[in-house]
Amino acid sequence: MRVIARRTLTRFVESLKEQKGQRAVKAALDAWFHEVQRAGSRNSAEVKHSYATASIVSADRVVFNIKGNDYRLVAAIDHMRHDRVHQVDRNAR
């Protein structure tokens, strides 16, 4: 997959500046980014197989749990072309 909105991830990490967990969030998002760059998921079932904790919201929308489900990354996925980060949010518990 190709992430075409890396800036969305960078901005989110920057928004956490001076917060205690910023480095851990950055590390978790960087790990996710590098992992999906290598992934070749052709459909939602393959995404779910690779990311058991991900939630398949629709055929083109997946919610990934980041940093032990402290954060959720919503991605719109075009399995034929690319993966796009839609948003990253703090998971309210």
Side-chain angles (χ1 to χ4, degrees), residues 15-41:
S15 76
L16 300 175
K17 195 170 188 160
E18 299 183 26
Q19 290 188 24
K20 184 178 178 182
Q22 182 193 23
R23 285 187 182 180
V25 173
K26 182 181 184 323
L29 287 172
D30 286 346
W32 176 86
F33 175 81
H34 293 296
E35 194 171 316
V36 298
Q37 288 288 95
R38 292 188 302 269
S41 303

Short mmCIF file of all heavy atoms in Angstrom, two decimals, residues 15-41:
data_model
loop_
_atom_site.label_atom_id
_atom_site.label_comp_id
_atom_site.label_asym_id
_atom_site.label_seq_id
_atom_site.Cartn_x
_atom_site.Cartn_y
_atom_site.Cartn_z
N SER A 15 0.89 17.91 16.91
CA SER A 15 -0.16 18.46 17.77
C SER A 15 -0.05 17.97 19.21
O SER A 15 -0.63 18.55 20.12
CB SER A 15 -1.55 18.12 17.23
OG SER A 15 -1.89 16.76 17.50
N LEU A 16 0.71 16.91 19.41
CA LEU A 16 0.91 16.35 20.75
C LEU A 16 2.17 16.90 21.42
O LEU A 16 2.56 16.41 22.48
CB LEU A 16 1.02 14.82 20.66
CG LEU A 16 -0.18 14.08 20.09
CD1 LEU A 16 0.13 12.61 19.95
CD2 LEU A 16 -1.41 14.31 20.94
N LYS A 17 2.77 17.90 20.81
CA LYS A 17 4.01 18.47 21.33
C LYS A 17 3.90 18.76 22.82
O LYS A 17 2.90 19.30 23.29
CB LYS A 17 4.36 19.75 20.57
CG LYS A 17 5.77 20.20 20.78
CD LYS A 17 6.11 21.31 19.81
CE LYS A 17 7.59 21.59 19.93
NZ LYS A 17 8.12 22.26 18.78
N GLU A 18 4.93 18.39 23.53
CA GLU A 18 5.07 18.59 24.98
C GLU A 18 4.11 17.73 25.79
O GLU A 18 3.97 17.92 26.99
CB GLU A 18 4.95 20.06 25.34
CG GLU A 18 6.03 20.91 24.69
CD GLU A 18 5.97 22.37 25.10
OE1 GLU A 18 5.45 22.66 26.20
OE2 GLU A 18 6.46 23.20 24.33
N GLN A 19 3.43 16.78 25.17
CA GLN A 19 2.62 15.83 25.93
C GLN A 19 3.46 14.60 26.24
O GLN A 19 4.35 14.23 25.48
CB GLN A 19 1.37 15.44 25.16
CG GLN A 19 0.37 16.58 25.05
CD GLN A 19 -0.94 16.14 24.45
OE1 GLN A 19 -1.29 14.98 24.49
NE2 GLN A 19 -1.66 17.08 23.88
N LYS A 20 3.16 13.97 27.33
CA LYS A 20 3.95 12.87 27.84
C LYS A 20 4.18 11.74 26.83
O LYS A 20 5.28 11.24 26.70
CB LYS A 20 3.30 12.32 29.10
CG LYS A 20 4.07 11.23 29.79
CD LYS A 20 3.35 10.79 31.05
CE LYS A 20 4.11 9.66 31.71
NZ LYS A 20 3.40 9.17 32.90
N GLY A 21 3.17 11.33 26.12
CA GLY A 21 3.28 10.17 25.25
C GLY A 21 3.63 10.45 23.80
O GLY A 21 3.53 9.55 22.96
N GLN A 22 4.05 11.66 23.47
CA GLN A 22 4.28 12.01 22.08
C GLN A 22 5.28 11.07 21.39
O GLN A 22 5.04 10.62 20.28
CB GLN A 22 4.76 13.45 21.93
CG GLN A 22 4.94 13.83 20.46
CD GLN A 22 5.69 15.12 20.24
OE1 GLN A 22 6.44 15.57 21.09
NE2 GLN A 22 5.49 15.71 19.08
N ARG A 23 6.38 10.78 22.03
CA ARG A 23 7.39 9.89 21.40
C ARG A 23 6.83 8.50 21.14
O ARG A 23 7.11 7.91 20.09
CB ARG A 23 8.64 9.80 22.27
CG ARG A 23 9.48 11.03 22.21
CD ARG A 23 10.77 10.83 22.95
NE ARG A 23 11.56 12.05 22.90
CZ ARG A 23 12.73 12.17 23.46
NH1 ARG A 23 13.26 11.17 24.13
NH2 ARG A 23 13.39 13.31 23.37
N ALA A 24 6.06 7.98 22.08
CA ALA A 24 5.48 6.65 21.89
C ALA A 24 4.47 6.64 20.74
O ALA A 24 4.43 5.69 19.95
CB ALA A 24 4.82 6.18 23.18
N VAL A 25 3.68 7.70 20.63
CA VAL A 25 2.71 7.80 19.53
C VAL A 25 3.46 7.90 18.20
O VAL A 25 3.10 7.24 17.24
CB VAL A 25 1.77 9.01 19.72
CG1 VAL A 25 0.89 9.21 18.50
CG2 VAL A 25 0.93 8.84 20.97
N LYS A 26 4.50 8.72 18.16
CA LYS A 26 5.30 8.85 16.94
C LYS A 26 5.89 7.51 16.53
O LYS A 26 5.82 7.11 15.37
CB LYS A 26 6.41 9.88 17.10
CG LYS A 26 7.22 10.07 15.83
CD LYS A 26 8.34 11.06 16.01
CE LYS A 26 9.11 11.34 14.74
NZ LYS A 26 9.34 10.26 13.84
N ALA A 27 6.43 6.78 17.50
CA ALA A 27 7.02 5.47 17.21
C ALA A 27 5.96 4.50 16.68
O ALA A 27 6.20 3.76 15.72
CB ALA A 27 7.69 4.91 18.45
N ALA A 28 4.77 4.51 17.30
CA ALA A 28 3.70 3.61 16.87
C ALA A 28 3.22 3.96 15.46
O ALA A 28 3.00 3.07 14.64
CB ALA A 28 2.55 3.67 17.87
N LEU A 29 3.06 5.26 15.17
CA LEU A 29 2.62 5.66 13.83
C LEU A 29 3.70 5.39 12.79
O LEU A 29 3.39 4.98 11.67
CB LEU A 29 2.22 7.14 13.82
CG LEU A 29 0.90 7.45 14.53
CD1 LEU A 29 0.69 8.95 14.62
CD2 LEU A 29 -0.27 6.79 13.81
N ASP A 30 4.97 5.60 13.14
CA ASP A 30 6.05 5.27 12.21
C ASP A 30 6.08 3.78 11.91
O ASP A 30 6.25 3.37 10.76
CB ASP A 30 7.40 5.72 12.77
CG ASP A 30 7.62 7.22 12.72
OD1 ASP A 30 6.86 7.92 12.01
OD2 ASP A 30 8.55 7.71 13.40
N ALA A 31 5.88 2.96 12.94
CA ALA A 31 5.86 1.51 12.74
C ALA A 31 4.69 1.11 11.83
O ALA A 31 4.86 0.30 10.91
CB ALA A 31 5.75 0.79 14.08
N TRP A 32 3.51 1.71 12.08
CA TRP A 32 2.35 1.42 11.23
C TRP A 32 2.65 1.83 9.79
O TRP A 32 2.39 1.08 8.85
CB TRP A 32 1.12 2.18 11.74
CG TRP A 32 -0.08 2.00 10.84
CD1 TRP A 32 -0.97 0.98 10.88
CD2 TRP A 32 -0.46 2.84 9.75
NE1 TRP A 32 -1.91 1.15 9.88
CE2 TRP A 32 -1.62 2.28 9.17
CE3 TRP A 32 0.06 4.02 9.21
CZ2 TRP A 32 -2.26 2.86 8.09
CZ3 TRP A 32 -0.59 4.58 8.13
CH2 TRP A 32 -1.73 4.00 7.58
N PHE A 33 3.21 3.01 9.61
CA PHE A 33 3.51 3.53 8.27
C PHE A 33 4.43 2.57 7.51
O PHE A 33 4.15 2.19 6.38
CB PHE A 33 4.15 4.91 8.37
CG PHE A 33 4.60 5.46 7.06
CD1 PHE A 33 3.69 6.05 6.20
CD2 PHE A 33 5.93 5.37 6.67
CE1 PHE A 33 4.11 6.55 4.96
CE2 PHE A 33 6.34 5.86 5.45
CZ PHE A 33 5.43 6.45 4.58
N HIS A 34 5.52 2.16 8.14
CA HIS A 34 6.48 1.28 7.47
C HIS A 34 5.88 -0.10 7.19
O HIS A 34 6.16 -0.71 6.17
CB HIS A 34 7.77 1.19 8.27
CG HIS A 34 8.52 2.49 8.30
ND1 HIS A 34 9.04 3.09 7.17
CD2 HIS A 34 8.79 3.33 9.31
CE1 HIS A 34 9.60 4.23 7.48
NE2 HIS A 34 9.47 4.41 8.77
N GLU A 35 5.03 -0.56 8.10
CA GLU A 35 4.39 -1.85 7.90
C GLU A 35 3.43 -1.83 6.72
O GLU A 35 3.44 -2.75 5.90
CB GLU A 35 3.66 -2.24 9.19
CG GLU A 35 3.25 -3.67 9.24
CD GLU A 35 2.71 -4.06 10.60
OE1 GLU A 35 3.31 -3.67 11.62
OE2 GLU A 35 1.67 -4.75 10.62
N VAL A 36 2.59 -0.81 6.62
CA VAL A 36 1.64 -0.78 5.51
C VAL A 36 2.33 -0.47 4.18
O VAL A 36 1.81 -0.85 3.13
CB VAL A 36 0.45 0.19 5.74
CG1 VAL A 36 -0.37 -0.23 6.93
CG2 VAL A 36 0.88 1.61 5.83
N GLN A 37 3.48 0.17 4.23
CA GLN A 37 4.23 0.40 2.99
C GLN A 37 4.63 -0.94 2.37
O GLN A 37 4.68 -1.07 1.15
CB GLN A 37 5.49 1.23 3.26
CG GLN A 37 5.22 2.69 3.56
CD GLN A 37 4.78 3.45 2.34
OE1 GLN A 37 3.60 3.62 2.09
NE2 GLN A 37 5.72 3.92 1.58
N ARG A 38 4.91 -1.92 3.21
CA ARG A 38 5.32 -3.25 2.73
C ARG A 38 4.13 -4.16 2.44
O ARG A 38 4.27 -5.16 1.76
CB ARG A 38 6.23 -3.91 3.76
CG ARG A 38 7.56 -3.24 3.92
CD ARG A 38 8.50 -4.05 4.81
NE ARG A 38 7.96 -4.27 6.14
CZ ARG A 38 8.15 -3.48 7.19
NH1 ARG A 38 8.84 -2.37 7.06
NH2 ARG A 38 7.63 -3.78 8.36
N ALA A 39 2.97 -3.82 2.98
CA ALA A 39 1.79 -4.68 2.82
C ALA A 39 1.26 -4.63 1.40
O ALA A 39 1.37 -3.61 0.73
CB ALA A 39 0.70 -4.25 3.80
N GLY A 40 0.67 -5.70 0.99
CA GLY A 40 0.08 -5.76 -0.35
C GLY A 40 -1.35 -6.26 -0.30
O GLY A 40 -1.74 -7.09 -1.11
N SER A 41 -2.12 -5.78 0.66
CA SER A 41 -3.50 -6.24 0.83
C SER A 41 -4.33 -5.92 -0.41
O SER A 41 -4.35 -4.80 -0.88
CB SER A 41 -4.13 -5.58 2.05
OG SER A 41 -3.37 -5.86 3.19
#
